[in-house]
Amino acid sequence: MTALVEARGLRFAYGGRTNWRRRPTDEWALRDIELSIARGSALGIVGESGSGKSTLVRVLCGLLPARGGSVAFDGRDLGDWLRTAPRTFRRQNQLVFQNPASSLDPRMRMRQSLAEPTRALERRPVPIEEMVGWLAAVGLGSEVLSRYPHQLSGGQLQRVALARALSVRPEVLYADEPTSSVDVSVQAQILNLLMDLRARFDLTLVMVSHNLVVVGRVCEHIVVMRDGQIVEQGATVDVFDEPRSTYTAELIAAAESVAVRPGT
């Protein structure tokens, strides 16, 4: 499989342009990230809170500017994409946020929210039949179209967020902690849905999670982050069976359950 997303020597620091260049090494939110994501693969990015997982996917998506190094998508520099073809890049790289309710306007019915990405990125009206098809792909019925966010459950909101992302036919779907805002009883449904959508729409999936068990179920490759750096990466089965870093071994040992293993 060829690389679709690549980061080389990637660095990022929060703050204005007058401050970030002078930051000491331990204040970088991302430091010297080397990463290659193969087309059609599923990659899990794991680590504790504050390790840089969400920051990394936001830089890869172009939502935060790299402060050093480079990011490329489909062999083309990210900066070039954003200067010359930003709508195309946004359409091909979709991010589902950790809290789906935060990305939905509480004053909008779902039919309005669902149409937003297509109207913004493809500049065309969206027929109701098309929206019904998106909802069906994530296991929701047409009755959702008339509802507001507060009238939906956490699981339903997560499915709507996925439908919105899929509506513009992305190549890469970034899912930031996709099960953290739903009940335990719904988590398995969301994971199964992600696996189904990946296969059905030929997606490259990048999933952020603090839960190694979740990543082991969905992703065949894994990146372990700590303090803004990658401490280990490789095939998920190999990382679980023979972790090379003490930190990774500690994360595996601290997982709530070992009943679900990679490939099971």
Side-chain angles (χ1 to χ4, degrees):
M1 292 183 289
T2 59
L4 182 59
V5 181
E6 291 186 283
R8 294 288 176 259
L10 180 63
R11 288 176 287 145
F12 177 82
Y14 289 97
R17 293 188 62 83
T18 58
N19 298 323
W20 65 266
R21 289 185 183 275
R22 296 194 296 271
R23 288 179 181 271
T25 302
D26 60 359
E27 291 189 23
W28 289 93
L30 297 175
R31 293 177 284 166
D32 304 320
I33 299 294
E34 299 283 335
L35 180 63
S36 180
I37 304 173
R39 188 184 301 272
S41 66
L43 174 73
I45 303 176
V46 302
E48 297 173 309
S49 296
S51 61
K53 307 184 301 296
S54 295
T55 299
L56 175 57
V57 297
R58 281 161 175 74
V59 175
L60 296 179
C61 287
L63 298 181
L64 293 174
R67 302 303 194 185
S70 65
V71 176
F73 172 71
D74 202 14
R76 184 175 170 186
D77 183 75
L78 174 58
D80 185 43
W81 275 110
L82 296 178
R83 284 191 302 272
T84 62
R87 287 203 301 274
T88 300
F89 178 82
R90 301 291 184 202
R91 183 184 65 77
Q92 294 178 335
N93 293 264
Q94 284 289 301
L95 171 62
V96 176
F97 292 93
Q98 179 174 351
N99 180 4
S102 67
S103 62
L104 299 172
D105 190 327
R107 300 164 298 180
M108 285 186 179
R109 297 182 189 272
M110 290 300 100
R111 62 173 177 266
Q112 296 169 287
S113 292
L114 277 169
E116 276 189 311
T118 302
R119 287 174 175 165
L121 298 175
E122 298 182 7
R123 304 292 178 86
R124 65 178 177 86
V126 186
I128 290 294
E129 295 78 12
E130 189 172 332
M131 287 187 270
V132 171
W134 302 337
L135 291 174
V138 298
L140 293 175
S142 59
E143 70 279 0
V144 170
L145 291 173
S146 63
R147 296 178 183 172
Y148 292 96
H150 73 272
Q151 295 175 308
L152 300 178
S153 69
Q156 288 173 319
L157 289 172
Q158 190 64 274
R159 289 172 186 267
V160 168
L162 287 169
R164 272 168 45 105
L166 293 171
S167 68
V168 291
R169 303 173 304 282
E171 290 197 45
V172 187
L173 178 66
Y174 293 90
D176 191 355
E177 296 279 6
T179 61
S180 65
S181 62
V182 298
D183 295 338
V184 174
S185 60
V186 181
Q187 290 180 4
Q189 297 174 21
I190 297 298
L191 295 179
N192 288 335
L193 177 60
L194 282 171
M195 290 188 287
D196 176 65
L197 294 174
R198 176 199 169 195
R200 196 188 323 175
F201 295 100
D202 195 25
L203 295 168
T204 299
L205 176 65
V206 180
M207 189 172 74
V208 170
S209 181
H210 66 278
N211 189 327
L212 273 76
V213 173
V214 166
V215 167
R217 179 173 178 180
V218 176
C219 303
E220 63 261 22
H221 300 284
I222 190 171
V223 164
V224 181
M225 294 191 67
R226 186 181 192 184
D227 297 329
Q229 293 181 299
I230 294 176
V231 298
E232 188 161 355
Q233 58 181 309
T236 306
V237 172
D238 295 338
V239 171
F240 265 76
D241 288 344
E242 296 185 27
R244 293 188 297 272
S245 76
T246 301
Y247 177 68
T248 304
E250 291 172 350
L251 288 180
I252 295 172
E256 293 183 356
S257 169
V258 293
V260 178
R261 301 284 294 185
T264 63

